[in-house]
Structures are given as structure tokens and as C-alpha cells.
Amino acid sequence: MVTRTVVIIKKYGIISFYNEEEFMMNAKIIQQLQTIELQFHIQFPTLYKQFLVEIIQDQEPYEIIDINQNYVSLYSYSDLMERNETYQIQEYEPDYLLIGQDGDQGYFIYVKPNHLSEVIYINDLGALGSLEMQPIAPTINDLAMP
């Protein structure tokens, strides 16, 4: 069986190589993320979107150890909206999206359209709306321990 390679040229001159199966999976995820953005009037930050498409993909759960040595489950694209609806995030923090959690600690990104920020925030899921979001990492790529 011959595997064809598809080359994708992304913003900022980044070039990624995929086999045909990976390309189709990534195209499906990108389409789903665009649907979520339109449906919920949000905009995913570029690095976070790339992380969802290329790293997490459809893995459930995707676990990391954060820079504070907490075990964090990051949500795949297919779980994002269900988790945000369950915790009523848009009711209490309409400009943020819950992207993962460690127990009662939620990990968030800022998703207000035309105000892109790659910063990852943390907050107590039981105190949303009453406590300010606390920055924990400048980007999703900086969240995990090296």
C-alpha cells in the first residue's frame, strides 16, 4: 500500500507533513472547530487551535502535568462544548472557554472574537464569576512541564 504525503502550508510559514489519513482527520477537526466558533460566537486562539488539531486530535482524555505539577485532563474538540455547557461557563464567564480540568480547577482560554489571546487561565469551577481568572501559562504550549 502506498501512503501519499500531503503538505500543508500554515500561517507564519510553518509547514506540516501529513499522510492522507492524518490529513482527513485534521480536516474533520478543523471543520468541527469552525462550526463551534460560528455556533457559539467565539474565536479560538491560533496556537490552541493548532494544539487541538495536531496534538490532542480525538484522544480522550489527553493528560499533561502542568507547570505547577498538577495532572490536567485537556478536552478534545468533541468534548469542549459539552463540558462548557455542563459547567455553564458561558453564563458566568462568557469570554472564556473551559479547555480542561484538574478536579475542581478549570483551565480556560480567552475566546472573545477579534481579541485573541493565547494565555491559559485557571479558576475554581465552583467560584466562576466571583473570582478573577488567574493566568497560569502564556500559551497552551507552555502549560505542560518541560
Side-chain angles (χ1 to χ4, degrees):
M1 181 172 155
V2 175
T3 302
R4 289 185 286 176
T5 300
V6 178
V7 178
I8 305 297
I9 300 175
K10 298 185 177 188
K11 288 183 178 180
Y12 316 113
I14 299 170
I15 299 176
S16 295
F17 296 90
Y18 301 106
N19 66 38
E20 200 166 6
E21 184 178 318
E22 289 172 324
F23 175 76
M24 294 307 292
M25 170 61 83
N26 291 352
K28 174 186 169 190
I29 296 169
I30 290 168
Q31 183 178 23
Q32 289 292 323
L33 294 176
Q34 290 171 340
T35 300
I36 292 169
E37 286 178 322
L38 290 172
Q39 184 178 356
F40 291 92
H41 309 290
I42 63 174
Q43 186 175 9
F44 290 109
T46 304
L47 289 177
Y48 177 68
K49 186 183 268 189
Q50 183 177 0
F51 190 83
L52 278 174
V53 172
E54 296 180 1
I55 307 298
I56 296 179
Q57 296 182 334
D58 60 354
Q59 296 180 52
E60 296 176 32
Y62 184 84
E63 295 187 349
I64 64 166
I65 299 175
D66 76 6
I67 55 178
N68 294 330
Q69 298 185 350
N70 297 311
Y71 288 86
V72 180
S73 291
L74 296 175
Y75 307 134
S76 71
Y77 73 96
S78 60
D79 292 328
L80 279 174
M81 298 324 298
E82 184 275 327
R83 298 280 77 204
N84 278 268
E85 289 169 359
T86 297
Y87 286 102
Q88 301 174 318
I89 302 303
Q90 280 55 53
E91 181 178 332
Y92 297 104
E93 296 288 354
D95 295 332
Y96 293 88
L97 188 74
L98 178 65
I99 62 169
Q101 72 185 90
D102 171 33
D104 62 349
Q105 293 294 305
Y107 290 74
F108 299 84
I109 55 169
Y110 190 74
V111 290
K112 186 174 181 179
N114 302 315
H115 296 89
L116 292 182
S117 170
E118 296 285 352
V119 176
I120 306 300
Y121 297 89
I122 190 168
N123 204 340
D124 186 320
L125 291 169
L128 293 176
S130 60
L131 294 177
E132 281 191 41
M133 293 283 180
Q134 299 298 312
I136 187 169
T139 72
I140 190 72
N141 297 329
D142 299 308
L143 181 61
M145 284 184 55

